[in-house]
Structures are given as structure tokens and as C-alpha cells.
Amino acid sequence: MILVPDLADIEKIAVSDAERRVARLLRQIDSDPEAVAFHSVKLRSHAYKQQAEADLVVLWKRVVILVEVKGGGVSKHDGVWYSVDRRNDWHKLPGSPMDQAQSAMYALRDILREEGIGWFAHEAVVITPDIDSPPHAVGWQPTHWLAKDDMSVTGLTTALDVVAAGARTPPFGQKQARIDELRARLFGEFTRMPVLDAQRGAVIEEQNRATAGQARVLAALARNPRVMVSGGAGTGKSLVLVEAAKQEAGHGRSVLITFRSPELLPFFKAHVGDRVIDVVPFDLLTPSSRYDAVFVDEAQDLMTAERMDQLDAVVAGGRSSGRWRMFLDTNNQAHVDGCFDQVIYDYVSEEAFLLDLDLNVRNTAAIVTMVQEYIGADVGDPGIVHGEKVQWHQPEGAPDVAAADKVATDLVSGGVRRQDIWIISATSTAARSVTERGFTVMSPRHAKGLEAENIIVCDLPAIYDRAGTAAFYVAVTRARVSLHIVASKEDRKRLRELVRPGSVAK
């Protein structure tokens, strides 16, 4: 069974050992390929408050089963319920464990119905893994209170089957939720994309939420062996990749994350943490490398016959029959680094389930709109993140790195952290460097696939051919919070010539 988050995260954040034990058993269950168990992560955003009232939400054979887990003992005395810990201390509960499970179940049902998902079967279950089943009571069905005798893979599977078999049937004439929509919506409700060092301000908070598109892709990745995910810059491809890779590793599969640019290595290493996931640049893979599941980021850089043959050797079962996921932007980013062969892409696409990410979750609406107006690039719907306008700077001298360095210094004076600023020289191909004032300088080639909160673009192309347009595209789409462009009068004139008819770029 798929766990969200994966078992490694649950082991760290679960508030009780009982929850960890139940999660371990659930992960070993494989009789329902659609099954997903969502663990209640108490530290998540207040926007997901319903999670604080439920330990697990399990989608099992088209039934949503909300699970309340109580470790230790449970007792009722004079009409009041108590939990009993290992020291035999009694702790008063607000109600019976079954009341807690049922109230959370109704809350979740109401939330999803308000969003128009339709009717779906739902049940509430209590698991007390340390004690025998309590005496039967009118407040619950005995099949819905699981105890220590059920704490095996077989026992838990059987118990879930019984609960699902006895679930309510849909009322006559009422719209029913489609299983794929219900599954994707649950992923959206209970999944948050982790972003390191990004908890400042409303812009960052908006970007951290898992969008419906990302949730849909996560759900599909779990069910399909070969998937091609396309999306413009800023649509969250890399973060979806990370979450999906964790799920694969959680199922005991050997997992590889690979890419062309070595600059992506620290990004993925930081996000997968101590998981048993290999993160290796494509050019460093050895002939003996072989993995159960392979994730390729920025796959447009590797879309050649030779590279695809190498991938065929890395995936267990081969590319046509193995388990792989490619994430790519086939438009502007395909012309900055590596090679992109459209014929090869069309051929490989026939082997995969195709998905699109179409909502920009990195760039502010102002940045997305500017990119669309100037170069017509599809970087997703700009409706999710609101922020400040794009800032233009016309220096007295050359619009180069030195001029950008002055803009960066002004930002620091205004309270921006130095480490949150990148300068991108749009016409450079050089590796990462640092100015005398301590600001990171990147080229589009090495910044591709990465992001920073504040971006200053300089050295704009003199000619906007395919390579120049691609470099400009990559440079301006790295920003999460603010985008500053250092440009001369001539630069602005050349950009205005790019503006599509009917747009309002200035």
C-alpha cells in the first residue's frame, strides 16, 4: 500500500509508536493496487486542520476509511473515556475513540462534498494494537474496532476487507465520486510539497501548497509503470518527482534519480535526505547500474537515441517494460543544454502514460504574465501566486554582472537575505561563481531546474534566436519571490519587438 508521506517520514513524525506499527503493516499490504494510506501530519499547514483529528485516512477498495489509533490501554469509567499509558497513568479523552473517528470522518466527508466530488462510501475505524477488543457496544460495529489480534498483514487486510464490504451503498440518483478523482483529491488534501528554507511571507506559503495538478500526477505515478510528465518552468516537476521517488523507495524498490546537470545534485540530495535513493548525474552512471524505478529530471536534455539506449540499460526490465518516470519541458528549456530530438521524444512517448502539469507554483503572476507576453512560453496558469511586479533597472553603464551586483546590494539593504539572491547572466555558460560582495552568479545552463527567491537577470541576449530566447526564458523563470531585470534602452527595445500582438508588456 502507498503511504503518504512515506514510511520514513511517518517513523519520524508520528506521535505514537502505535501509529508507526500500524503504518508498517499497511505498507506491506498489496492486495489492492489502488490503496493509499494518508497519515495525519500534525505539523502541516492550518489549511489542513482536519488532519489533526485523524491518525490515518485509508482509501481501500473504493471506500474511504478514517482510522483512529490508540496505543496503550483504553477504558471507560462512569461514562468517561480514558487512555491508559505504560505507567498506568489515566488520561481523560474528549469522547470515545470511535466518536473521535466518526466526527473526523464526517468532517472530511463534508469538506470533499463541498468541493463537488460527489457521494463516496466512508467508514470510521478504531485500532487499539495493545489490547484485546473491547466489549460490544451500541456505539459501533464490532468489525470497526480492531485490536491486537488483528495486528498482522493478513489480519489487517481481512479487517479492511470486512469494513469495505459492509460500507453503505450510494443513495438513488445521487452523483457518485469517480475513484480516480477521489484518489487525486485525497492526494491534494493530504500532500504538501516540501520546500527547503522557504517559509517566509505569503508568496512562499502559496507556493508550498500541493496543487490539484500535482496531486493528480502523484496519484497517476503510483499506478502507471512508465510516465512522461511535461510542464513549463515553475510547475513543480522536481518536487513531484521527489515525492514520487520516496513512495517507490518506501515499497522497497531500488530507486535512481538522474539528470544531466550536476548542479541539480545538491537539490535532490537535500530533498531525499537519508532515503535509500541513489542521486547520480546521468554521465556518471556505470554500465552495471540497474534500478527498479528510474526518475529522470530535465529529461529534454537527454532526449537522443544514444541517451535513451543508456536509459534502457539502467532500468530493470528495459525502457519498454521497466518502471521509469521522465519529467521535462519540451519547449524553451530544450535548447539551453544537452540535446532534444523531437523524433526520439515522439517514439519514447508511445511507451508511456502522458501527463501535464499546467499550474505555475513557483513564479508570481507578474513573472508568468511577462514571460507569456514576451516569448509566448507556456509556463502554466499564473493564477496561484501573487507578488510584486517585475522590476526593471537601467544602469548608467553596461547592464552586466557589476550592475546587477549593485541591485543585489540594494536588496540586502532593504532586508533581503544575501543567500536568497542570485544573479543570472543570460548570455553566460559559465559555472556558478560568487562576486566580491558575496552574491551567487549563475548562467542559464547551470541554473536550469533550480530556483531562488530573488533573481537579478543581466547581460540580456543581443539576438533572440532559439538559443537566446531559451536562455532568457530560463533566467527569468528561476524567481520565486521577486524578479529584477537589468537592461539598457537597446535591451528594452529588442524585448519590445518580441511582444506578441494584443499583449500589454511595457
Side-chain angles (χ1 to χ4, degrees):
M1 183 183 300
I2 297 170
L3 298 183
V4 179
D6 68 352
L7 183 60
D9 275 341
I10 294 176
E11 294 275 11
K12 295 177 182 177
I13 62 184
V15 297
S16 74
D17 184 61
E19 292 178 18
R20 299 183 186 95
R21 281 182 280 152
V22 172
R24 293 183 199 120
L25 290 175
L26 289 173
R27 193 182 72 81
Q28 297 178 62
I29 296 175
D30 59 6
S31 57
D32 178 9
E34 298 283 347
V36 188
F38 301 89
H39 180 258
S40 175
V41 182
K42 304 298 189 295
L43 298 179
R44 290 181 180 176
S45 167
H46 64 276
Y48 301 84
K49 188 177 294 184
Q50 69 272 20
Q51 295 182 72
E53 302 172 6
D55 297 318
L56 290 159
V57 176
V58 180
L59 180 59
W60 179 261
K61 297 188 176 177
R62 298 176 177 269
V63 179
V64 176
I65 303 174
L66 198 140
V67 181
E68 180 74 17
V69 181
K70 291 292 183 188
V74 178
S75 182
K76 183 179 180 182
H77 181 70
D78 289 339
V80 179
W81 284 86
Y82 298 87
S83 63
V84 185
D85 63 25
R86 287 176 294 180
R87 296 184 297 273
N88 204 34
D89 292 333
W90 288 40
H91 306 277
K92 185 177 179 180
L93 299 174
S96 76
M98 187 59 72
D99 287 340
Q100 292 179 261
Q102 290 174 342
S103 64
M105 177 191 70
Y106 294 137
L108 178 59
R109 177 201 63 185
D110 292 344
I111 288 168
L112 294 181
R113 285 186 180 178
E114 286 174 4
E115 296 181 358
I117 195 165
W119 185 93
F120 58 90
H122 51 278
E123 297 291 329
V125 165
V126 171
I127 299 180
T128 49
D130 299 318
I131 61 174
D132 294 325
S133 298
H136 177 60
V138 296
W140 63 83
Q141 301 177 45
T143 54
H144 287 50
W145 193 308
L146 314 183
K148 65 180 183 181
D149 289 341
D150 300 299
M151 291 300 101
S152 65
V153 173
T154 301
L156 199 52
T157 302
T158 301
L160 290 173
D161 281 341
V162 170
V163 171
R168 299 167 181 81
T169 56
F172 178 76
Q174 189 165 339
K175 174 191 173 184
Q176 296 184 48
R178 299 198 321 269
I179 186 62
D180 57 340
E181 183 180 358
L182 177 60
R183 198 169 189 268
R185 191 61 62 89
L186 287 171
F187 266 95
E189 284 292 322
F190 291 94
T191 305
R192 293 292 304 280
M193 299 300 167
V195 180
L196 300 183
D197 296 324
Q199 300 298 323
R200 294 176 298 283
V203 170
I204 300 300
E205 177 59 26
E206 284 181 305
Q207 291 167 337
N208 279 349
R209 294 193 178 95
T211 71
Q214 290 173 326
R216 172 177 51 82
V217 170
L218 272 172
L221 286 172
R223 292 183 294 172
N224 297 280
R226 293 168 296 283
V227 184
M228 188 87 76
V229 182
S230 297
T235 52
K237 298 186 297 296
S238 297
L239 292 175
V240 172
L241 185 158
V242 167
E243 291 302 300
K246 289 179 180 178
Q247 292 176 4
E248 294 291 319
H251 279 273
R253 299 186 180 103
S254 57
V255 177
L256 167 71
I257 296 176
T258 189
F259 35 81
R260 176 180 169 83
S261 174
E263 290 283 353
L264 291 172
L265 183 63
F267 171 85
F268 284 116
K269 282 284 190 181
H271 278 74
V272 300
D274 56 358
R275 304 300 198 286
V276 184
I277 297 175
D278 285 353
V279 181
V280 184
F282 198 88
D283 289 340
L284 297 183
L285 293 174
T286 63
S288 61
S289 302
R290 204 162 185 81
Y291 296 87
D292 298 328
V294 175
F295 291 77
V296 184
D297 197 32
E298 303 291 342
Q300 73 277 354
D301 297 343
L302 303 166
M303 201 57 62
T304 66
E306 179 184 3
R307 298 293 195 176
M308 289 301 102
D309 286 344
Q310 289 179 260
L311 181 65
D312 184 73
V314 171
V315 181
R319 198 189 63 242
S320 62
S321 302
R323 194 172 183 86
W324 53 260
R325 291 90 169 80
M326 295 191 203
F327 294 75
L328 70 167
D329 179 355
T330 60
N331 298 311
N332 295 276
Q333 290 197 83
H335 309 294
V336 174
D337 189 25
C339 296
F340 177 80
D341 187 324
Q342 183 68 46
V343 174
I344 297 299
Y345 169 73
D346 293 340
Y347 176 77
V348 175
S349 295
E350 293 179 357
E351 303 172 343
F353 183 74
L354 305 181
L355 289 169
D356 293 309
L357 281 169
D358 52 13
L359 185 63
N360 192 295
V361 295
R362 174 199 297 155
N363 308 129
T364 64
I367 296 172
V368 172
T369 301
M370 185 208 72
V371 173
Q372 292 173 340
E373 288 170 346
Y374 279 116
I375 58 179
D378 182 7
V379 287
D381 188 319
I384 186 173
V385 182
H386 303 281
E388 65 182 60
K389 295 180 179 179
V390 176
Q391 302 295 313
W392 296 85
H393 305 266
Q394 183 175 320
E396 295 181 359
D400 54 14
V401 171
D405 196 61
K406 293 179 181 178
V407 175
T409 301
D410 290 340
L411 290 179
V412 171
S413 298
V416 177
R417 300 194 310 176
R418 190 178 302 269
Q419 62 265 37
D420 293 334
I421 301 172
W422 280 5
I423 296 171
I424 299 183
S425 174
T427 53
S428 172
T429 59
R432 183 192 300 246
S433 62
V434 179
T435 70
E436 292 184 358
R437 292 174 175 169
F439 296 109
T440 296
V441 179
M442 301 283 281
S443 65
R445 176 180 179 181
H446 292 86
K448 186 161 56 67
L450 302 174
E451 61 186 29
E453 291 191 17
N454 306 277
I455 295 292
I456 305 169
V457 180
C458 62
D459 293 326
L460 300 188
I463 301 174
Y464 284 92
D465 54 8
R466 189 171 70 171
T469 301
F472 179 73
Y473 167 82
V474 170
V476 298
T477 54
R478 301 306 96 196
R480 298 192 64 196
V481 176
S482 72
L483 172 63
H484 299 256
I485 301 178
V486 179
S488 66
K489 288 183 179 180
E490 291 74 19
D491 287 328
R492 297 293 297 273
K493 180 180 178 181
R494 283 190 287 267
L495 284 170
R496 280 193 292 270
E497 292 173 353
L498 296 175
V499 176
R500 296 177 298 154
S503 63
V504 293
K506 298 179 180 179

mmCIF file of all heavy atoms in Angstrom, residues 398-407 423-425 428 433 435 439 441-442 456 458-459 486:
data_model
loop_
_atom_site.group_PDB
_atom_site.id
_atom_site.type_symbol
_atom_site.label_atom_id
_atom_site.label_comp_id
_atom_site.label_asym_id
_atom_site.label_seq_id
_atom_site.Cartn_x
_atom_site.Cartn_y
_atom_site.Cartn_z
ATOM 1 N N ALA A 398 27.224 49.607 -18.456
ATOM 2 C CA ALA A 398 26.813 48.360 -19.085
ATOM 3 C C ALA A 398 25.857 47.578 -18.176
ATOM 4 O O ALA A 398 26.046 47.534 -16.955
ATOM 5 C CB ALA A 398 28.043 47.513 -19.393
ATOM 6 N N PRO A 399 24.838 46.941 -18.754
ATOM 7 C CA PRO A 399 23.887 46.148 -17.960
ATOM 8 C C PRO A 399 24.444 44.752 -17.679
ATOM 9 O O PRO A 399 23.877 43.737 -18.089
ATOM 10 C CB PRO A 399 22.661 46.099 -18.858
ATOM 11 C CG PRO A 399 23.212 46.154 -20.245
ATOM 12 C CD PRO A 399 24.442 47.014 -20.174
ATOM 13 N N ASP A 400 25.545 44.710 -16.971
ATOM 14 C CA ASP A 400 26.268 43.466 -16.767
ATOM 15 C C ASP A 400 26.199 42.998 -15.316
ATOM 16 O O ASP A 400 25.419 43.519 -14.511
ATOM 17 C CB ASP A 400 27.717 43.623 -17.218
ATOM 18 C CG ASP A 400 28.403 44.814 -16.543
ATOM 19 O OD1 ASP A 400 27.852 45.354 -15.547
ATOM 20 O OD2 ASP A 400 29.502 45.209 -17.012
ATOM 21 N N VAL A 401 27.061 42.048 -14.966
ATOM 22 C CA VAL A 401 27.065 41.492 -13.610
ATOM 23 C C VAL A 401 27.390 42.565 -12.575
ATOM 24 O O VAL A 401 26.816 42.573 -11.478
ATOM 25 C CB VAL A 401 28.075 40.327 -13.519
ATOM 26 C CG1 VAL A 401 28.249 39.887 -12.066
ATOM 27 C CG2 VAL A 401 27.608 39.150 -14.370
ATOM 28 N N ALA A 402 28.277 43.500 -12.913
ATOM 29 C CA ALA A 402 28.623 44.568 -11.971
ATOM 30 C C ALA A 402 27.393 45.416 -11.645
ATOM 31 O O ALA A 402 27.163 45.793 -10.487
ATOM 32 C CB ALA A 402 29.740 45.438 -12.548
ATOM 33 N N ALA A 403 26.586 45.710 -12.658
ATOM 34 C CA ALA A 403 25.366 46.484 -12.426
ATOM 35 C C ALA A 403 24.371 45.672 -11.602
ATOM 36 O O ALA A 403 23.692 46.209 -10.714
ATOM 37 C CB ALA A 403 24.749 46.883 -13.763
ATOM 38 N N ALA A 404 24.276 44.389 -11.881
ATOM 39 C CA ALA A 404 23.382 43.526 -11.121
ATOM 40 C C ALA A 404 23.837 43.415 -9.671
ATOM 41 O O ALA A 404 23.019 43.331 -8.748
ATOM 42 C CB ALA A 404 23.319 42.151 -11.766
ATOM 43 N N ASP A 405 25.144 43.429 -9.475
ATOM 44 C CA ASP A 405 25.705 43.358 -8.123
ATOM 45 C C ASP A 405 25.248 44.560 -7.291
ATOM 46 O O ASP A 405 24.961 44.422 -6.088
ATOM 47 C CB ASP A 405 27.232 43.312 -8.221
ATOM 48 C CG ASP A 405 27.891 42.857 -6.933
ATOM 49 O OD1 ASP A 405 27.623 41.716 -6.508
ATOM 50 O OD2 ASP A 405 28.654 43.644 -6.364
ATOM 51 N N LYS A 406 25.140 45.720 -7.917
ATOM 52 C CA LYS A 406 24.668 46.911 -7.211
ATOM 53 C C LYS A 406 23.192 46.772 -6.833
ATOM 54 O O LYS A 406 22.765 47.166 -5.745
ATOM 55 C CB LYS A 406 24.873 48.146 -8.068
ATOM 56 C CG LYS A 406 26.339 48.488 -8.304
ATOM 57 C CD LYS A 406 26.487 49.723 -9.194
ATOM 58 C CE LYS A 406 27.963 50.052 -9.445
ATOM 59 N NZ LYS A 406 28.102 51.228 -10.353
ATOM 60 N N VAL A 407 22.386 46.205 -7.738
ATOM 61 C CA VAL A 407 20.974 45.969 -7.436
ATOM 62 C C VAL A 407 20.845 44.994 -6.259
ATOM 63 O O VAL A 407 20.027 45.188 -5.352
ATOM 64 C CB VAL A 407 20.236 45.414 -8.670
ATOM 65 C CG1 VAL A 407 18.791 45.041 -8.319
ATOM 66 C CG2 VAL A 407 20.258 46.424 -9.807
ATOM 67 N N ILE A 423 22.259 36.210 -9.135
ATOM 68 C CA ILE A 423 22.441 36.987 -10.356
ATOM 69 C C ILE A 423 22.594 35.997 -11.498
ATOM 70 O O ILE A 423 23.420 35.081 -11.423
ATOM 71 C CB ILE A 423 23.690 37.892 -10.266
ATOM 72 C CG1 ILE A 423 23.516 38.934 -9.160
ATOM 73 C CG2 ILE A 423 23.956 38.573 -11.605
ATOM 74 C CD1 ILE A 423 24.786 39.728 -8.869
ATOM 75 N N ILE A 424 21.791 36.149 -12.543
ATOM 76 C CA ILE A 424 21.896 35.259 -13.701
ATOM 77 C C ILE A 424 22.313 36.076 -14.917
ATOM 78 O O ILE A 424 21.590 36.990 -15.342
ATOM 79 C CB ILE A 424 20.581 34.527 -13.988
ATOM 80 C CG1 ILE A 424 20.185 33.662 -12.785
ATOM 81 C CG2 ILE A 424 20.709 33.670 -15.243
ATOM 82 C CD1 ILE A 424 18.928 32.846 -12.993
ATOM 83 N N SER A 425 23.470 35.752 -15.440
ATOM 84 C CA SER A 425 23.961 36.374 -16.667
ATOM 85 C C SER A 425 23.388 35.587 -17.839
ATOM 86 O O SER A 425 23.777 34.440 -18.082
ATOM 87 C CB SER A 425 25.494 36.353 -16.705
ATOM 88 O OG SER A 425 25.968 36.817 -17.949
ATOM 89 N N SER A 428 25.734 33.969 -20.473
ATOM 90 C CA SER A 428 26.887 33.208 -19.990
ATOM 91 C C SER A 428 26.595 31.707 -20.030
ATOM 92 O O SER A 428 25.442 31.270 -19.994
ATOM 93 C CB SER A 428 27.206 33.622 -18.549
ATOM 94 O OG SER A 428 28.201 32.787 -17.990
ATOM 95 N N SER A 433 29.534 31.023 -9.738
ATOM 96 C CA SER A 433 30.633 31.790 -9.151
ATOM 97 C C SER A 433 30.055 32.758 -8.126
ATOM 98 O O SER A 433 28.843 32.811 -7.921
ATOM 99 C CB SER A 433 31.409 32.554 -10.232
ATOM 100 O OG SER A 433 30.565 33.493 -10.886
ATOM 101 N N THR A 435 30.439 36.879 -6.551
ATOM 102 C CA THR A 435 31.026 38.213 -6.716
ATOM 103 C C THR A 435 31.805 38.592 -5.465
ATOM 104 O O THR A 435 31.733 37.918 -4.440
ATOM 105 C CB THR A 435 29.930 39.263 -6.965
ATOM 106 O OG1 THR A 435 29.166 39.448 -5.756
ATOM 107 C CG2 THR A 435 29.001 38.841 -8.090
ATOM 108 N N PHE A 439 27.629 37.592 -3.767
ATOM 109 C CA PHE A 439 26.390 37.191 -4.427
ATOM 110 C C PHE A 439 26.659 36.080 -5.437
ATOM 111 O O PHE A 439 27.650 36.129 -6.192
ATOM 112 C CB PHE A 439 25.736 38.383 -5.134
ATOM 113 C CG PHE A 439 25.308 39.469 -4.191
ATOM 114 C CD1 PHE A 439 25.975 40.683 -4.146
ATOM 115 C CD2 PHE A 439 24.242 39.261 -3.325
ATOM 116 C CE1 PHE A 439 25.581 41.685 -3.274
ATOM 117 C CE2 PHE A 439 23.824 40.257 -2.442
ATOM 118 C CZ PHE A 439 24.498 41.467 -2.407
ATOM 119 N N VAL A 441 26.475 34.026 -8.750
ATOM 120 C CA VAL A 441 26.264 34.327 -10.165
ATOM 121 C C VAL A 441 26.096 32.997 -10.903
ATOM 122 O O VAL A 441 26.917 32.089 -10.765
ATOM 123 C CB VAL A 441 27.445 35.115 -10.768
ATOM 124 C CG1 VAL A 441 27.190 35.398 -12.254
ATOM 125 C CG2 VAL A 441 27.673 36.406 -10.009
ATOM 126 N N MET A 442 25.026 32.897 -11.685
ATOM 127 C CA MET A 442 24.725 31.665 -12.411
ATOM 128 C C MET A 442 24.553 31.969 -13.890
ATOM 129 O O MET A 442 24.255 33.101 -14.285
ATOM 130 C CB MET A 442 23.432 31.033 -11.881
ATOM 131 C CG MET A 442 23.457 30.683 -10.402
ATOM 132 S SD MET A 442 24.388 29.184 -10.072
ATOM 133 C CE MET A 442 23.180 27.943 -10.530
ATOM 134 N N ILE A 456 18.131 38.354 -10.182
ATOM 135 C CA ILE A 456 18.503 39.551 -10.942
ATOM 136 C C ILE A 456 19.109 39.079 -12.256
ATOM 137 O O ILE A 456 20.135 38.395 -12.259
ATOM 138 C CB ILE A 456 19.512 40.420 -10.170
ATOM 139 C CG1 ILE A 456 18.966 40.772 -8.778
ATOM 140 C CG2 ILE A 456 19.822 41.691 -10.952
ATOM 141 C CD1 ILE A 456 19.987 41.406 -7.865
ATOM 142 N N CYS A 458 20.821 39.841 -15.921
ATOM 143 C CA CYS A 458 21.617 40.847 -16.625
ATOM 144 C C CYS A 458 22.197 40.231 -17.891
ATOM 145 O O CYS A 458 21.955 39.056 -18.182
ATOM 146 C CB CYS A 458 22.723 41.380 -15.722
ATOM 147 S SG CYS A 458 23.920 40.134 -15.195
ATOM 148 N N ASP A 459 22.998 41.017 -18.631
ATOM 149 C CA ASP A 459 23.620 40.524 -19.865
ATOM 150 C C ASP A 459 22.589 39.880 -20.790
ATOM 151 O O ASP A 459 22.730 38.721 -21.213
ATOM 152 C CB ASP A 459 24.736 39.513 -19.539
ATOM 153 C CG ASP A 459 25.915 40.148 -18.827
ATOM 154 O OD1 ASP A 459 26.210 41.322 -19.123
ATOM 155 O OD2 ASP A 459 26.527 39.476 -17.976
ATOM 156 N N VAL A 486 18.080 43.828 -15.289
ATOM 157 C CA VAL A 486 18.984 44.938 -15.595
ATOM 158 C C VAL A 486 19.090 45.035 -17.112
ATOM 159 O O VAL A 486 19.557 44.098 -17.765
ATOM 160 C CB VAL A 486 20.370 44.712 -14.968
ATOM 161 C CG1 VAL A 486 21.302 45.868 -15.307
ATOM 162 C CG2 VAL A 486 20.244 44.549 -13.454
#
